[in-house]
Amino acid sequence: MRFGVVTLFPEWVEQVTSVGVLDKANRQGLISVTGFNPRDHATDNHRSVDERPFGGGPGMLMQISTTEAAIKDARSALPDAPVVYLSPQGRRLDQALVAELARLPELILLAGRYEGVDERLVDAEVDLEVSLGDYVLSGGELGAMVMIDAISRMVPGVLGDQASAEQDSFAAHWLDCPHYTKPVEYRENTVPEVLRSGHHGRIEAWRLRQSLERSWDRRPDLFERKRLDTTELSMINEHLSTLEKASTTRDGKDDEEPDY
Ligand code: 4G4
């Protein structure tokens, strides 16, 4: 998978392959990240890459000519790549979109600064607008790096064992179960017995139950579109009965203040 990033900070973005699994994947030739800088195409004495917006107001926009030239550079290097624009107006990134994009051989990410890119340049050059979530960043670079990380780990061979990738596809549907390591006793708390039982069937069932219960408690929205099989359904029903009992016996003290 080859990534091109149109950015005023190419050295920074390229650093995404300097550590961990992405460093290894880069060294193995499984992925590459190349920056394309609009400033390389600036012609005035100040090498400016920004421009004032029509209609006035505070803030600047990416200058069309230098941004377009950097996109052209990226397209010459990555001729088959669609162009993705990182912006708060985009389609929300999730694991399903990550998996879809990981099937491509090449991807160009457009990371805007200032107040973003002229809408006509977006219409002419951008295939897909993507958002990381409902918050504002100083630029699209961190979004581009998040996408490069998430997509790269879905590229065959990047993650050591195939089991990790399968874990991830499960994680796309449900929250992960809790994990434990040594020591067995830590700050008065003991590792759940079942995880030390060596009984693989019961361990898998426990992990599934934990995932479903945590998803139900913390992310009820995950149940809106997902169909449950009979095992999942009975686990959730049992959790509901447990919650029901707890709410009728408890004194209510523990729901006065959130403790995050
Ligand atoms: C494009 C338009 C993405 C790029 C406007 C980018 C948040 C996200 C930017 C802007 C970004 C996100 C000035 C807001 C750069 N911020 N949620 N900033 N802004 O994915």
Side-chain angles (χ1 to χ4, degrees), residues 196-253:
R196 295 177 285 129
S197 70
H199 195 298
H200 295 299
R202 266 186 273 170
I203 290 170
E204 280 321 296
W206 181 88
R207 286 180 170 159
L208 174 60
R209 184 182 292 276
Q210 288 291 317
S211 282
L212 291 170
E213 291 183 0
R214 276 149 63 107
S215 301
W216 186 269
D217 295 343
R218 302 180 188 189
R219 290 288 307 280
D221 59 292
L222 295 178
F223 289 83
E224 280 164 22
R225 287 174 310 147
K226 181 80 171 68
R227 281 209 170 288
L228 302 182
D229 63 30
T230 52
T231 310
E232 294 169 334
L233 201 59
S234 72
M235 284 180 173
I236 284 300
N237 275 324
E238 288 170 28
H239 184 49
L240 265 145
S241 309
T242 309
L243 290 176
E244 185 105 327
K245 282 198 197 98
S247 72
T248 51
T249 52
R250 192 177 68 198
D251 61 8
K253 252 182 203 153

Side-chain angles (χ1 to χ4, degrees), residues 85-90 110-117 129-141 143:
Y85 177 43
L86 281 302
S87 103
Q89 284 71 48
L110 172 57
R113 282 270 149 176
Y114 317 117
E115 301 307 308
V117 174
E129 203 165 331
V130 170
S131 170
L132 286 206
D134 295 336
Y135 44 85
V136 178
L137 301 167
S138 315
E141 286 82 6

Side-chain angles (χ1 to χ4, degrees), residues 52-109:
R52 288 155 44 209
F54 279 112
M60 301 290 276
L61 290 173
M62 300 283 285
Q63 188 187 95
I64 289 184
S65 58
T66 50
T67 308
E68 182 187 31
I71 294 171
K72 281 219 157 64
D73 289 345
R75 284 195 191 281
S76 319
L78 306 164
D80 298 321
V83 175
V84 172
Y85 177 43
L86 281 302
S87 103
Q89 284 71 48
R91 167 175 164 188
R92 187 67 163 274
L93 184 67
D94 60 18
Q95 195 65 31
L97 180 54
V98 167
E100 212 176 292
L101 295 173
R103 297 155 59 91
L104 298 169
E106 304 177 339
L107 194 62
I108 295 168
L109 301 164

